[in-house]
Amino acid sequence: MKEHQAPIAKKIPHVHEAHGHQRIDNYHWMTQRDAPEVINYLNQENDYYEKMTAHTKQLKVDLFEEIKSRINEDDESVPYFWNGYWYYTKMKKGESYPFYYRKKESLSNKEELLFNVNEMAIGHEFFQLTGMSVSPDNTMVSYGVDTIGRRQYTIFIKDLQTHKVMPQALELTTGGAVWDANNNTLFFVRKDEQTLRANQIFKYKLGAHPDTATIVYQEDDEIYNCYVYKSKSREYIMIKSSSTLTDEVRFIKANQPDSEFKVVQPRTDQIEYSVLHYGDQFYIMTNKDDATNFKIMKTEVTKPEMENWVDVIPHQSDVLLEDFEIFKKYLVISDRFNGLNRIRIKSWDDTVDYFLPFDNETYTAFTGGNYDFDTVKLRYQYNSLTTPPSVIEFDMDSREEEVLKIQKVQDPKFTPDDYTSERVWATAADGVKVPISLVYKKSLKRSSGNPLLLYGYGSYGSTIDPYFSISRLSLLDRGFIYAIAHIRGSEYLGRPWYEDGKMFAKRNTFTDFIACSEHLINNNYTSPSHLYASGGSAGGLLMGAIMNMAPQLYNGILSAVPFVDVVTTMLDDSIPLTTGEYDEWGNPNHKDSYEYMLSYSPYDQVAKHDYPNVLITTGYHDSQVQYWEPAKWVARLRELKTDNNLLLFKTDMTSGHSGASGRYDALKEVAIDYAFLLDLEQIES
């Protein structure tokens, strides 16, 4: 591989001072969005990436074509029934975006095209349609559009009778909207222009000038975001205001859009709750009464306050309640026991109570698409590390099920039986057992020469369940083991698992991942010269932390849209997400939080030592993690690292936090990551 000169970023010392402590930031100048010198630096890094990976150009093309060849390019979603119509999407060969359709009453009826997103995306390098909401009389649809990638959506309204888009547009929103029962009022959420915090709920009368939209709720507390949704019963419009630890819900009758919202329960510090409606009752999932893993309660709609709540599903110390759905005859509960998803069916008259049977340790199962209240048919999805996703319809009366769709792998040689999965347990530094899910070819033997990619996230209580990936087959078929570290900071082993990986326990997330890495090495799954780690966003923080704490364990790191300048970002409340994250990371305006966060902040802890090979990727329009965090991090790593390993930085100048918007461009991003790993393993095809 030909050597090229890496970009050397200029150093302009900037002093950050807090609590009597000074930090010198030589690359703070990169925060000047759109400044010519910033764009020039990002372009230099992109050019360096292209030159350093020129020899893998064909490998990337081959990987892209290989992955693409496995997907069903002409695909169709399973239709779902809502308010008299069947709705579904199609993907067509050669097209990057979906087509949205519906059919009235019967699937044998004429097809009606709602949206051709490919047509809508013409002229845009990035395009995302979200929040499709059809009016109760089925004649109109609202939807949100983002053409930049910063999750700032403009809401449009389309007349489904004339197929014309109305001239009025609602700017700077979250994209979704809720119709009243009378088909003439929309409720939507607007974002703060600077911080992008969802902080205002507006009411808009159809056909009026957008400026006439009136505010019905404003969330002034900077650690909260607010949302609006309609109950499954369609009888109520609900506003939910949430911080990391506290919730507050308001409601009005959907047929009385001009009435005043009533509070279910005023916010009470560290009381979380969510509300569903059935009959004359509200059903509430909450952590009230020290229900750490949550419980389900109920109360009369006319007496919604907390003192009236009574238990329906009690709290269990070893079972995490994650979600619940209400049907006319059944209550469906999604929970997690010993890290594994469960779906529980319970009749309202208490004569029926059972779990759906699942039989391994590396699967994912969840309910979805259940819009119809008066049905005994439950839709759920199932997949595992070795099994492609299935959409299943389960009859809760007869307990019979029908597989409505299995994702096709367009490879005649593919069979799930060629792969095996397992769950193993590593021992963390404090003696806690940490689970790891693995998948690999059945023919693979344990060996220190096996390449292994270990993925981790571990923040916000977000749990990464074992899931199937068509793209991942390109690694598995080349001898890779793929593993997911279920580290603290997720809720894999319940709510305490999350609590023990946040705030002043955040370092557990990093040491757990290191313990998982050491377990895989010590048990001969791989070795440091063949072990790779991957994570994005808060998982990118994880990557930065382990690179500083245990760089010797890894041959390579993939870090996407990484949150790495923790202290500086959390001290700047003008940056999107900052204030709402104090309950996750801590508030560095307090000295104890400042010092603890500083102890692990990847950017601040870069030091003069050897680092693994690293590929860092970001999107210039990222609203979640600003582009300058990875840019500054790369510059500091180049300045201080003492090795000759690869340090590559690629910025997509047209996308945001979620990467490219088209399905083919998204596959190309996967090919970029895989080519980096295969090149390090000297696997040429």
PDB file of all heavy atoms in Angstrom, residues 1 7 16 51 133 182-183 234 278 295 306 407 409 451 472 482 484 529 590 592 607 649 675:
ATOM      1  N   MET A   1       0.842  -1.187   0.000  1.00  0.00           N
ATOM      2  CA  MET A   1       0.000   0.000   0.000  1.00  0.00           C
ATOM      3  C   MET A   1       0.881   1.242   0.000  1.00  0.00           C
ATOM      4  O   MET A   1       1.750   1.404   0.840  1.00  0.00           O
ATOM      5  CB  MET A   1      -0.904  -0.009   1.246  1.00  0.00           C
ATOM      6  CG  MET A   1      -1.791   1.201   1.349  1.00  0.00           C
ATOM      7  SD  MET A   1      -3.046   1.047   2.674  1.00  0.00           S
ATOM      8  CE  MET A   1      -2.133   0.206   3.947  1.00  0.00           C
ATOM      9  N   PRO A   7      -3.376  14.434   6.488  1.00  0.00           N
ATOM     10  CA  PRO A   7      -3.606  15.855   6.760  1.00  0.00           C
ATOM     11  C   PRO A   7      -3.132  16.230   8.161  1.00  0.00           C
ATOM     12  O   PRO A   7      -3.295  15.454   9.113  1.00  0.00           O
ATOM     13  CB  PRO A   7      -5.128  15.993   6.653  1.00  0.00           C
ATOM     14  CG  PRO A   7      -5.566  14.832   5.833  1.00  0.00           C
ATOM     15  CD  PRO A   7      -4.621  13.713   6.164  1.00  0.00           C
ATOM     16  N   HIS A  16     -10.820  26.128  27.418  1.00  0.00           N
ATOM     17  CA  HIS A  16     -12.094  25.856  28.097  1.00  0.00           C
ATOM     18  C   HIS A  16     -11.818  25.890  29.596  1.00  0.00           C
ATOM     19  O   HIS A  16     -10.892  25.230  30.077  1.00  0.00           O
ATOM     20  CB  HIS A  16     -12.629  24.468  27.741  1.00  0.00           C
ATOM     21  CG  HIS A  16     -12.956  24.290  26.293  1.00  0.00           C
ATOM     22  ND1 HIS A  16     -14.041  24.882  25.686  1.00  0.00           N
ATOM     23  CD2 HIS A  16     -12.347  23.562  25.326  1.00  0.00           C
ATOM     24  CE1 HIS A  16     -14.088  24.525  24.419  1.00  0.00           C
ATOM     25  NE2 HIS A  16     -13.063  23.729  24.168  1.00  0.00           N
ATOM     26  N   LYS A  51      -7.243   7.956  -1.089  1.00  0.00           N
ATOM     27  CA  LYS A  51      -5.904   7.544  -1.527  1.00  0.00           C
ATOM     28  C   LYS A  51      -5.426   6.310  -0.760  1.00  0.00           C
ATOM     29  O   LYS A  51      -4.850   5.384  -1.346  1.00  0.00           O
ATOM     30  CB  LYS A  51      -4.915   8.693  -1.339  1.00  0.00           C
ATOM     31  CG  LYS A  51      -5.114   9.844  -2.322  1.00  0.00           C
ATOM     32  CD  LYS A  51      -4.178  10.998  -2.009  1.00  0.00           C
ATOM     33  CE  LYS A  51      -4.350  12.142  -3.014  1.00  0.00           C
ATOM     34  NZ  LYS A  51      -3.541  13.324  -2.653  1.00  0.00           N
ATOM     35  N   SER A 133     -49.561  10.105   8.155  1.00  0.00           N
ATOM     36  CA  SER A 133     -50.745  10.057   9.010  1.00  0.00           C
ATOM     37  C   SER A 133     -51.982  10.369   8.172  1.00  0.00           C
ATOM     38  O   SER A 133     -52.121  11.466   7.628  1.00  0.00           O
ATOM     39  CB  SER A 133     -50.610  11.082  10.149  1.00  0.00           C
ATOM     40  OG  SER A 133     -51.760  11.087  10.966  1.00  0.00           O
ATOM     41  N   ASN A 182     -62.427  15.103  13.576  1.00  0.00           N
ATOM     42  CA  ASN A 182     -63.300  15.834  12.654  1.00  0.00           C
ATOM     43  C   ASN A 182     -62.639  16.139  11.314  1.00  0.00           C
ATOM     44  O   ASN A 182     -63.227  16.841  10.484  1.00  0.00           O
ATOM     45  CB  ASN A 182     -63.756  17.143  13.305  1.00  0.00           C
ATOM     46  CG  ASN A 182     -64.342  16.921  14.695  1.00  0.00           C
ATOM     47  OD1 ASN A 182     -65.111  15.999  14.903  1.00  0.00           O
ATOM     48  ND2 ASN A 182     -63.947  17.755  15.650  1.00  0.00           N
ATOM     49  N   ASN A 183     -61.403  15.658  11.114  1.00  0.00           N
ATOM     50  CA  ASN A 183     -60.690  15.784   9.829  1.00  0.00           C
ATOM     51  C   ASN A 183     -60.299  17.212   9.457  1.00  0.00           C
ATOM     52  O   ASN A 183     -59.997  17.487   8.300  1.00  0.00           O
ATOM     53  CB  ASN A 183     -61.537  15.206   8.670  1.00  0.00           C
ATOM     54  CG  ASN A 183     -62.003  13.796   8.931  1.00  0.00           C
ATOM     55  OD1 ASN A 183     -61.220  12.860   8.955  1.00  0.00           O
ATOM     56  ND2 ASN A 183     -63.310  13.648   9.168  1.00  0.00           N
ATOM     57  N   ARG A 234     -58.534   5.650  19.277  1.00  0.00           N
ATOM     58  CA  ARG A 234     -58.816   6.838  18.450  1.00  0.00           C
ATOM     59  C   ARG A 234     -59.700   7.854  19.163  1.00  0.00           C
ATOM     60  O   ARG A 234     -60.163   8.817  18.565  1.00  0.00           O
ATOM     61  CB  ARG A 234     -59.445   6.448  17.106  1.00  0.00           C
ATOM     62  CG  ARG A 234     -58.654   5.407  16.331  1.00  0.00           C
ATOM     63  CD  ARG A 234     -59.317   5.044  15.018  1.00  0.00           C
ATOM     64  NE  ARG A 234     -58.886   3.721  14.569  1.00  0.00           N
ATOM     65  CZ  ARG A 234     -59.425   3.053  13.565  1.00  0.00           C
ATOM     66  NH1 ARG A 234     -60.406   3.586  12.867  1.00  0.00           N
ATOM     67  NH2 ARG A 234     -58.988   1.853  13.234  1.00  0.00           N
ATOM     68  N   TYR A 278     -58.487   2.250  27.207  1.00  0.00           N
ATOM     69  CA  TYR A 278     -59.424   1.162  26.910  1.00  0.00           C
ATOM     70  C   TYR A 278     -60.702   1.411  27.709  1.00  0.00           C
ATOM     71  O   TYR A 278     -60.688   1.411  28.944  1.00  0.00           O
ATOM     72  CB  TYR A 278     -58.807  -0.185  27.283  1.00  0.00           C
ATOM     73  CG  TYR A 278     -59.697  -1.392  27.052  1.00  0.00           C
ATOM     74  CD1 TYR A 278     -60.692  -1.392  26.075  1.00  0.00           C
ATOM     75  CD2 TYR A 278     -59.553  -2.538  27.812  1.00  0.00           C
ATOM     76  CE1 TYR A 278     -61.506  -2.495  25.862  1.00  0.00           C
ATOM     77  CE2 TYR A 278     -60.350  -3.654  27.607  1.00  0.00           C
ATOM     78  CZ  TYR A 278     -61.328  -3.623  26.629  1.00  0.00           C
ATOM     79  OH  TYR A 278     -62.136  -4.724  26.414  1.00  0.00           O
ATOM     80  N   LYS A 295     -44.261  -1.779  36.149  1.00  0.00           N
ATOM     81  CA  LYS A 295     -45.477  -2.558  36.336  1.00  0.00           C
ATOM     82  C   LYS A 295     -46.586  -1.870  35.553  1.00  0.00           C
ATOM     83  O   LYS A 295     -46.409  -0.766  35.028  1.00  0.00           O
ATOM     84  CB  LYS A 295     -45.836  -2.651  37.821  1.00  0.00           C
ATOM     85  CG  LYS A 295     -46.139  -1.306  38.488  1.00  0.00           C
ATOM     86  CD  LYS A 295     -46.495  -1.505  39.958  1.00  0.00           C
ATOM     87  CE  LYS A 295     -46.752  -0.188  40.674  1.00  0.00           C
ATOM     88  NZ  LYS A 295     -47.163  -0.389  42.083  1.00  0.00           N
ATOM     89  N   MET A 306     -52.415  10.006  40.117  1.00  0.00           N
ATOM     90  CA  MET A 306     -51.653   8.858  40.616  1.00  0.00           C
ATOM     91  C   MET A 306     -52.280   8.186  41.837  1.00  0.00           C
ATOM     92  O   MET A 306     -52.188   6.963  41.991  1.00  0.00           O
ATOM     93  CB  MET A 306     -50.220   9.314  40.944  1.00  0.00           C
ATOM     94  CG  MET A 306     -49.260   8.181  41.253  1.00  0.00           C
ATOM     95  SD  MET A 306     -47.664   8.785  41.848  1.00  0.00           S
ATOM     96  CE  MET A 306     -47.054   9.623  40.389  1.00  0.00           C
ATOM     97  N   GLN A 407     -38.121 -13.023   5.324  1.00  0.00           N
ATOM     98  CA  GLN A 407     -37.178 -12.283   4.474  1.00  0.00           C
ATOM     99  C   GLN A 407     -36.378 -13.268   3.622  1.00  0.00           C
ATOM    100  O   GLN A 407     -35.776 -14.213   4.141  1.00  0.00           O
ATOM    101  CB  GLN A 407     -36.228 -11.443   5.324  1.00  0.00           C
ATOM    102  CG  GLN A 407     -35.256 -10.613   4.493  1.00  0.00           C
ATOM    103  CD  GLN A 407     -34.256  -9.861   5.365  1.00  0.00           C
ATOM    104  OE1 GLN A 407     -33.954 -10.266   6.474  1.00  0.00           O
ATOM    105  NE2 GLN A 407     -33.745  -8.764   4.850  1.00  0.00           N
ATOM    106  N   VAL A 409     -33.331 -14.512   1.389  1.00  0.00           N
ATOM    107  CA  VAL A 409     -31.914 -14.310   1.096  1.00  0.00           C
ATOM    108  C   VAL A 409     -31.698 -14.840  -0.314  1.00  0.00           C
ATOM    109  O   VAL A 409     -31.795 -16.050  -0.556  1.00  0.00           O
ATOM    110  CB  VAL A 409     -31.015 -15.048   2.107  1.00  0.00           C
ATOM    111  CG1 VAL A 409     -29.546 -14.841   1.752  1.00  0.00           C
ATOM    112  CG2 VAL A 409     -31.301 -14.562   3.529  1.00  0.00           C
ATOM    113  N   PRO A 451     -10.730 -14.060  12.771  1.00  0.00           N
ATOM    114  CA  PRO A 451     -11.115 -12.656  12.902  1.00  0.00           C
ATOM    115  C   PRO A 451     -12.481 -12.566  13.571  1.00  0.00           C
ATOM    116  O   PRO A 451     -13.384 -13.365  13.285  1.00  0.00           O
ATOM    117  CB  PRO A 451     -11.167 -12.156  11.452  1.00  0.00           C
ATOM    118  CG  PRO A 451     -11.406 -13.371  10.631  1.00  0.00           C
ATOM    119  CD  PRO A 451     -10.767 -14.523  11.374  1.00  0.00           C
ATOM    120  N   ARG A 472     -24.199  -9.057   6.963  1.00  0.00           N
ATOM    121  CA  ARG A 472     -23.197  -9.700   7.817  1.00  0.00           C
ATOM    122  C   ARG A 472     -22.708 -11.029   7.246  1.00  0.00           C
ATOM    123  O   ARG A 472     -21.591 -11.482   7.562  1.00  0.00           O
ATOM    124  CB  ARG A 472     -23.793  -9.908   9.205  1.00  0.00           C
ATOM    125  CG  ARG A 472     -22.802 -10.356  10.260  1.00  0.00           C
ATOM    126  CD  ARG A 472     -23.506 -10.767  11.533  1.00  0.00           C
ATOM    127  NE  ARG A 472     -24.282  -9.689  12.086  1.00  0.00           N
ATOM    128  CZ  ARG A 472     -25.501  -9.836  12.609  1.00  0.00           C
ATOM    129  NH1 ARG A 472     -26.083 -11.026  12.636  1.00  0.00           N
ATOM    130  NH2 ARG A 472     -26.137  -8.800  13.103  1.00  0.00           N
ATOM    131  N   TYR A 482     -19.014 -12.955  14.510  1.00  0.00           N
ATOM    132  CA  TYR A 482     -19.648 -11.688  14.870  1.00  0.00           C
ATOM    133  C   TYR A 482     -20.226 -11.834  16.265  1.00  0.00           C
ATOM    134  O   TYR A 482     -20.862 -12.847  16.589  1.00  0.00           O
ATOM    135  CB  TYR A 482     -20.750 -11.316  13.877  1.00  0.00           C
ATOM    136  CG  TYR A 482     -21.417 -10.000  14.197  1.00  0.00           C
ATOM    137  CD1 TYR A 482     -20.869  -8.797  13.771  1.00  0.00           C
ATOM    138  CD2 TYR A 482     -22.595  -9.958  14.945  1.00  0.00           C
ATOM    139  CE1 TYR A 482     -21.471  -7.581  14.071  1.00  0.00           C
ATOM    140  CE2 TYR A 482     -23.199  -8.747  15.249  1.00  0.00           C
ATOM    141  CZ  TYR A 482     -22.638  -7.571  14.810  1.00  0.00           C
ATOM    142  OH  TYR A 482     -23.228  -6.364  15.111  1.00  0.00           O
ATOM    143  N   ILE A 484     -22.063  -9.657  19.824  1.00  0.00           N
ATOM    144  CA  ILE A 484     -22.674  -8.481  20.439  1.00  0.00           C
ATOM    145  C   ILE A 484     -22.407  -8.556  21.935  1.00  0.00           C
ATOM    146  O   ILE A 484     -22.760  -9.549  22.593  1.00  0.00           O
ATOM    147  CB  ILE A 484     -24.190  -8.427  20.191  1.00  0.00           C
ATOM    148  CG1 ILE A 484     -24.500  -8.429  18.687  1.00  0.00           C
ATOM    149  CG2 ILE A 484     -24.799  -7.193  20.856  1.00  0.00           C
ATOM    150  CD1 ILE A 484     -25.973  -8.642  18.378  1.00  0.00           C
ATOM    151  N   SER A 529      -4.549  -9.667  17.610  1.00  0.00           N
ATOM    152  CA  SER A 529      -4.183  -9.305  16.242  1.00  0.00           C
ATOM    153  C   SER A 529      -5.311  -9.552  15.247  1.00  0.00           C
ATOM    154  O   SER A 529      -5.202  -9.183  14.077  1.00  0.00           O
ATOM    155  CB  SER A 529      -2.935 -10.076  15.806  1.00  0.00           C
ATOM    156  OG  SER A 529      -3.149 -11.475  15.912  1.00  0.00           O
ATOM    157  N   HIS A 590     -21.728  20.804  37.307  1.00  0.00           N
ATOM    158  CA  HIS A 590     -21.439  20.373  38.673  1.00  0.00           C
ATOM    159  C   HIS A 590     -20.051  19.738  38.679  1.00  0.00           C
ATOM    160  O   HIS A 590     -19.742  18.881  37.844  1.00  0.00           O
ATOM    161  CB  HIS A 590     -22.482  19.367  39.161  1.00  0.00           C
ATOM    162  CG  HIS A 590     -23.884  19.900  39.108  1.00  0.00           C
ATOM    163  ND1 HIS A 590     -24.972  19.104  38.851  1.00  0.00           N
ATOM    164  CD2 HIS A 590     -24.371  21.156  39.260  1.00  0.00           C
ATOM    165  CE1 HIS A 590     -26.074  19.835  38.855  1.00  0.00           C
ATOM    166  NE2 HIS A 590     -25.728  21.090  39.102  1.00  0.00           N
ATOM    167  N   ASP A 592     -18.423  17.475  40.429  1.00  0.00           N
ATOM    168  CA  ASP A 592     -18.216  16.024  40.512  1.00  0.00           C
ATOM    169  C   ASP A 592     -18.510  15.348  39.169  1.00  0.00           C
ATOM    170  O   ASP A 592     -17.781  14.447  38.736  1.00  0.00           O
ATOM    171  CB  ASP A 592     -19.056  15.408  41.633  1.00  0.00           C
ATOM    172  CG  ASP A 592     -20.540  15.744  41.546  1.00  0.00           C
ATOM    173  OD1 ASP A 592     -20.931  16.591  40.711  1.00  0.00           O
ATOM    174  OD2 ASP A 592     -21.321  15.157  42.325  1.00  0.00           O
ATOM    175  N   ALA A 607      -3.867  10.078  24.310  1.00  0.00           N
ATOM    176  CA  ALA A 607      -2.531  10.166  24.915  1.00  0.00           C
ATOM    177  C   ALA A 607      -1.471   9.681  23.934  1.00  0.00           C
ATOM    178  O   ALA A 607      -1.782   9.123  22.871  1.00  0.00           O
ATOM    179  CB  ALA A 607      -2.497   9.331  26.200  1.00  0.00           C
ATOM    180  N   PHE A 649     -10.521   8.833   8.181  1.00  0.00           N
ATOM    181  CA  PHE A 649     -11.696   9.622   8.555  1.00  0.00           C
ATOM    182  C   PHE A 649     -12.464   9.985   7.298  1.00  0.00           C
ATOM    183  O   PHE A 649     -11.917  10.611   6.385  1.00  0.00           O
ATOM    184  CB  PHE A 649     -11.244  10.881   9.293  1.00  0.00           C
ATOM    185  CG  PHE A 649     -12.358  11.807   9.708  1.00  0.00           C
ATOM    186  CD1 PHE A 649     -13.567  11.319  10.180  1.00  0.00           C
ATOM    187  CD2 PHE A 649     -12.176  13.185   9.655  1.00  0.00           C
ATOM    188  CE1 PHE A 649     -14.578  12.177  10.574  1.00  0.00           C
ATOM    189  CE2 PHE A 649     -13.179  14.051  10.046  1.00  0.00           C
ATOM    190  CZ  PHE A 649     -14.382  13.550  10.511  1.00  0.00           C
ATOM    191  N   ALA A 675     -14.776  -3.610   3.848  1.00  0.00           N
ATOM    192  CA  ALA A 675     -13.513  -3.593   3.100  1.00  0.00           C
ATOM    193  C   ALA A 675     -12.349  -3.217   4.006  1.00  0.00           C
ATOM    194  O   ALA A 675     -11.242  -3.756   3.875  1.00  0.00           O
ATOM    195  CB  ALA A 675     -13.611  -2.614   1.933  1.00  0.00           C
TER     196      ALA A 675
END
